[in-house]
Amino acid sequence: VPTVQNFIYVSDIERFVFAFGANDYGSAVQDPMLIRWSDQESAVNWTPSAINQAGSLRLSSGSEIVAAVQTRQELVVFTDSAVYSLQYLGANAGVWGAQLLGDNISILSQNAVTIASGVVYWMGVDKFYMYDGRVQTLPCDLRRHVFSDFNQLQSQQVFCGTNEGFNEVWWFYCSANSTVIDKYVIYNYLEKIWYYGTMGRTAWLDSGLLDFPVAATYNNNLVYHENGVDDNETGTPTAIDAYIESAEFDIEDGQNFGFVWRMLPDVTFQGSTVANPSLTMTLIPKKGSGSGFNNPQSEGGSSSAAVVRSATVPIEQFTNIVYIRVRGRQMIMKAQSNALGVTWQLGAPRIDVRMDGRR
């Protein structure tokens, strides 16, 4: 039986116990690239013979085995520089065989990989990857934001999990000036979009066994996610600062000033627990792509307006039109709320904008 290894894994279907980065037979020295497995349906018989299926193999690309995950038909094994497919061949064909899927590929930690909807996702040293039959670099709009504020010395703390109810993969990591996890980045694989935030968690379990995802905090608490509309981590509900912000948009090629005079917000507050939920929508203009935001934000008028629900009819009815006066060559649209009991969903807001001058 191996006495030293990087980690242990059990194949659910074939029922083998694996020791990754284990010591070889008759040796107490760890080989970080050696994979050993026990006889089928046995956790104690590790000596290969003609009457069992115990065995071993050594991977060639990399210096140590870092992680492994199980898909429907294979075990995907990660070294510090390559990805392998480990497949069951049968008792008469060497039992298990390894195939190189890709090299010059990194992974940050043992827990930086997960599976969502049959696809393997993981976080590398400077990019994100996916494996759906072939290894691919995952396009990431937030790549510079994440890796320019990342503590590489604490990369072993990185872990990820899934939020299947919202088609999300979460990665938790330490920012550049932190030695504990304080940031997260999310990939929505259905809509193929990224978003990020600040939150300290130490473990994550999706809602496969429970009604909601559950996570561990640095206060030694287990908390539900996606349950309710407020932050109840400490037992006292507090408002969640929720916002979404667009990229910069312009008219044609951005050479002309645009004047916005009204907006149709298209917001619903279904699920809110207060009588009059509201949020603030803001248009933030810029004189030019490199000029920074206008200060004051609007030239000649207010750059923000409240969007409120009317309680005069038995169904939810929202503000129809917001009148504003904003000028700029480029603009950013932002919707934000920070009040107890408020939850909202942004639809497809419309703005009326026409070409204009500086005055």
Side-chain angles (χ1 to χ4, degrees):
V1 176
T3 58
V4 59
Q5 64 280 317
N6 285 341
F7 58 94
I8 297 289
Y9 208 93
V10 178
S11 65
D12 291 339
I13 300 175
E14 291 84 9
R15 303 295 296 169
F16 288 85
V17 181
F18 286 90
F20 292 93
N23 58 300
D24 207 349
Y25 312 104
S27 172
V29 179
Q30 182 181 20
D31 185 342
M33 294 292 287
L34 181 68
I35 304 174
R36 291 179 60 185
W37 59 86
S38 66
D39 188 19
Q40 194 171 29
E41 299 285 355
S42 173
V44 296
N45 188 357
W46 293 75
T47 304
S49 71
I51 58 174
N52 69 29
Q53 297 188 63
S56 66
L57 61 84
R58 192 178 192 280
L59 303 181
S60 58
S61 183
S63 60
E64 67 172 338
I65 299 173
V66 178
V69 292
Q70 182 171 251
T71 66
R72 185 167 57 90
Q73 296 180 332
E74 60 190 340
L75 284 171
V76 181
V77 182
F78 300 84
T79 72
D80 53 0
S81 65
V83 184
Y84 285 86
S85 171
L86 193 63
Q87 297 183 337
Y88 181 64
L89 305 177
N92 299 321
V95 188
W96 287 88
Q99 177 183 0
L100 181 65
L101 299 175
D103 54 6
N104 294 321
I105 294 171
S106 61
I107 185 170
L108 281 173
S109 71
Q110 181 180 334
N111 297 314
V113 56
T114 193
I115 298 177
S117 296
V119 180
V120 182
Y121 298 94
W122 70 96
M123 187 178 189
V125 171
D126 57 359
K127 64 185 70 173
F128 295 89
Y129 299 91
M130 62 178 289
Y131 170 67
D132 59 357
R134 64 190 182 97
V135 177
Q136 306 174 63
T137 298
L138 193 61
C140 179
D141 300 326
L142 297 176
R143 178 179 172 185
R144 185 176 64 176
H145 170 82
V146 172
F147 292 103
S148 64
D149 184 23
F150 185 88
N151 190 342
Q152 291 287 349
L153 297 178
Q154 301 297 327
S155 61
Q156 288 297 317
Q157 292 195 54
V158 172
F159 72 94
C160 69
T162 60
N163 191 350
E164 291 282 0
F166 292 88
N167 309 298
E168 295 171 343
V169 179
W170 292 53
W171 283 274
F172 294 87
Y173 63 95
C174 302
S175 61
N177 297 318
S178 176
T179 58
V180 297
I181 289 173
D182 61 343
K183 299 283 189 177
Y184 66 87
V185 60
I186 302 174
Y187 177 62
N188 187 309
Y189 50 84
L190 181 64
E191 300 182 17
K192 293 181 171 52
I193 58 174
W194 294 82
Y195 29 102
Y196 64 94
T198 299
M199 183 166 56
R201 295 292 185 264
T202 60
W204 180 275
L205 179 65
D206 203 356
S207 55
L209 300 176
L210 302 171
D211 293 333
F212 303 99
V214 63
T217 74
Y218 281 102
N219 294 324
N220 303 316
N221 293 328
L222 295 178
V223 295
Y224 282 124
H225 282 247
E226 317 302 346
N227 181 23
V229 298
D230 299 316
D231 182 357
N232 198 30
E233 179 179 336
T234 63
T236 301
T238 58
I240 294 176
D241 185 14
Y243 72 92
I244 185 169
E245 184 174 296
S246 75
E248 298 167 1
F249 60 92
D250 51 34
I251 299 177
E252 295 183 349
D253 289 330
Q255 76 275 20
N256 296 308
F257 267 76
F259 173 67
V260 178
W261 62 282
R262 68 178 177 178
M263 174 190 296
L264 282 68
D266 192 15
V267 179
T268 177
F269 295 96
Q270 183 177 2
S272 295
T273 59
V274 293
N276 297 300
S278 64
L279 60 76
T280 299
M281 297 190 72
T282 308
L283 280 176
I284 308 172
K286 301 172 70 174
K287 293 181 179 179
S289 59
S291 65
F293 300 129
N294 292 5
N295 187 17
Q297 292 179 353
S298 172
E299 293 186 17
S302 172
S303 60
S304 65
V307 179
V308 299
R309 182 182 67 174
S310 171
T312 59
V313 291
I315 60 173
E316 291 187 334
Q317 183 178 351
F318 306 95
T319 298
N320 186 25
I321 297 177
V322 176
Y323 291 96
I324 54 178
R325 292 171 59 86
V326 182
R327 289 181 176 89
R329 283 194 175 93
Q330 292 181 317
M331 298 184 190
I332 291 173
M333 184 170 64
K334 182 176 182 179
Q336 183 175 19
S337 70
N338 187 11
L340 285 169
V342 175
T343 181
W344 49 273
Q345 183 174 356
L346 187 66
R350 281 83 165 176
I351 62 173
D352 275 336
V353 56
R354 65 170 184 257
M355 291 185 185
D356 196 36
R358 297 187 62 182
R359 293 291 185 271

